[in-house]
Amino acid sequence: MSPQFSFVVATHLRAALLRRSLGAILAQTLQDFEIIVVADALDAGTAAAVAELLRPQDVFIKRNGRPGPAESRNAGVRAAKGEWVLFLDDDDSLEPHHLATLAAAILAQGPQVQVLFSDIQVVKENRSEAGIEFLQREAVPLGHVPVETLHLKNFIPNNALAFRRTLLEGCEVDPHLASQEDWDFLLAVCAKAMPRHYAGGGAIVHKDVNPGTRRGSSESSNDLTVVLDFLHIYRRWPAPSEAWREQRKALIRSVGLDLPQNWF
């Protein structure tokens, strides 16, 4: 029998962080899930964490090819058997009630719901060679942000989202983007169904105060790369109205590029 939820965990040579993310999944009060860990590289620490923490029903994939989380997420989705898919990269975690709160939201919103997202907590930490030092925690509600803001920029972290697996058919994370690949993927999903917010949840985004440590994000890319990826995404996913085109143009103008309105 297939589980209700599939967790896709992309990892890259960060065994201590992987142990934290897997521990957060295994600590869920609702246990109807499988875990799919996809590694684009393998060392002794990652192998030990997977061997110790994954259960018989879970899956480990050591893939070849281009490094980076995009292809790892795609491989994880292809292997998933759950009704719902959640992404949890190796540097993020969850509160123990996250799945139970999500399951209640799915039941409350009915069978028509396709994509859900929760509020988040942001934890700042210092990942030094000596370990992980906790610095600060902040609750960040997301329900007040109009979901249409996704046409301008992303405001929903990957681990706050849950996707009905059948909705993801034909959607893939683009491995060619140096940043913003989560947003590009989400816009592909939005072309089918817009995300709905539910209160609570337990998604935790961990941010290292040391620069350049978060994979597949603007934090590990220079400003020019981020701007170019924004422009690429704007061309791929045209604005749904003139008002959103104007907002896109204004955002890009704020970083020094004045492009014609029809670009957006």
Side-chain angles (χ1 to χ4, degrees):
M1 184 175 178
S2 298
Q4 185 176 10
F5 300 103
S6 294
F7 281 101
V8 174
V9 181
T11 189
H12 176 83
L13 304 180
R14 300 195 291 191
L17 296 177
L18 178 62
R19 285 180 177 275
R20 179 173 67 183
S21 64
L22 293 179
I25 296 173
L26 294 169
Q28 292 299 301
T29 58
L30 177 64
Q31 289 281 303
D32 190 6
F33 61 81
E34 65 174 354
I35 304 171
I36 303 162
V37 175
V38 186
D40 60 7
L42 189 63
D43 58 7
T46 300
V50 166
E52 292 172 24
L53 295 174
L54 291 191
R55 307 159 301 167
Q57 65 266 43
D58 299 325
V59 177
F60 174 67
I61 300 171
K62 165 55 182 79
R63 67 171 186 82
N64 298 315
R66 181 195 302 267
E71 291 287 20
S72 294
R73 293 172 191 147
N74 292 335
V77 171
R78 288 192 293 269
K81 297 181 178 67
E83 182 182 359
W84 289 81
V85 173
L86 296 88
F87 296 105
L88 186 68
D89 286 352
D90 59 7
D91 56 349
D92 289 326
S93 67
L94 305 165
E95 294 283 6
H97 63 82
H98 184 69
L99 266 195
T101 305
L102 171 59
I106 292 170
L107 186 62
Q109 300 213 25
Q112 74 281 2
V113 67
Q114 300 290 308
V115 192
L116 286 165
F117 70 100
S118 70
D119 303 311
I120 65 170
Q121 297 179 55
V122 175
V123 171
K124 291 185 179 180
E125 58 195 21
N126 180 21
R127 299 175 196 160
S128 65
E129 293 183 4
I132 303 173
E133 177 189 5
F134 169 83
L135 299 176
Q136 180 183 348
R137 181 187 293 258
E138 177 186 5
V140 181
L142 299 179
H144 66 287
V145 183
V147 72
E148 293 79 13
T149 302
L150 291 169
H151 295 303
L152 179 66
K153 59 184 179 180
N154 195 12
F155 68 94
I156 308 175
N158 220 19
N159 65 326
L161 287 152
F163 305 90
R164 198 177 289 275
R165 180 166 57 88
T166 53
L167 185 70
L168 299 184
E169 295 175 3
C171 298
E172 287 199 340
V173 186
D174 187 346
H176 301 97
L177 289 169
S179 70
Q180 316 305 319
E181 75 280 3
D182 294 351
W183 177 32
D184 178 72
F185 178 80
L186 185 52
L187 287 174
V189 172
C190 288
K192 299 181 177 184
M194 294 298 285
R196 296 186 185 181
H197 175 261
Y198 67 98
I204 304 174
V205 177
H206 294 265
K207 292 190 175 183
D208 190 358
V209 295
N210 302 296
T213 57
R214 193 169 181 86
R215 302 177 69 220
S217 76
S218 58
E219 296 177 41
S220 58
S221 307
N222 61 46
D223 290 343
L224 178 59
T225 298
V226 173
V227 171
L228 291 176
D229 285 341
F230 261 72
L231 292 174
H232 178 82
I233 290 169
Y234 283 167
R235 291 293 283 179
R236 176 179 283 176
W237 306 107
S241 68
E242 190 67 22
W244 285 112
R245 278 191 288 274
E246 291 174 359
Q247 290 193 53
R248 286 180 170 188
K249 178 179 173 67
L251 180 61
I252 295 302
R253 190 192 301 122
S254 72
V255 297
L257 286 177
D258 192 5
L259 298 176
Q261 189 93 342
N262 60 8
W263 180 276
F264 305 99

